[in-house]
Amino acid sequence: MIEYFENGEIELFNLADDPGETSNRAMEEPLRTESMRSRLNSWQKQVGAQMPTAKPKKTAAPPQ
């Protein structure tokens, strides 16, 4: 399973059958996908994983 933090997208692959990761199974296996996401999130909390944050947007300098 791959989770993209930028947009929350999940990809799920069966590496035994698809070692090249060409067939995303996330939509075909929604229960497995959600179960794995839940387990991952629990583990992240348990170990205190530092999660990425959005880069602050630059604001224009006020006119002088």
Side-chain angles (χ1 to χ4, degrees), residues 12-61:
L12 181 67
F13 300 99
N14 181 335
L15 297 179
D17 295 338
D18 181 18
E21 299 178 0
T22 60
S23 179
N24 183 0
R25 305 289 307 155
M27 296 298 284
E28 289 81 13
E29 299 187 48
L31 295 177
R32 180 178 297 211
T33 301
E34 277 308 308
S35 173
M36 292 180 75
R37 177 185 277 196
S38 177
R39 291 172 51 201
L40 174 61
N41 291 341
S42 293
W43 174 81
Q44 289 167 329
K45 289 177 185 173
Q46 178 185 0
V47 299
Q50 292 184 342
M51 304 307 290
T53 57
K55 184 176 180 179
K57 293 182 179 181
K58 290 184 178 182
T59 57

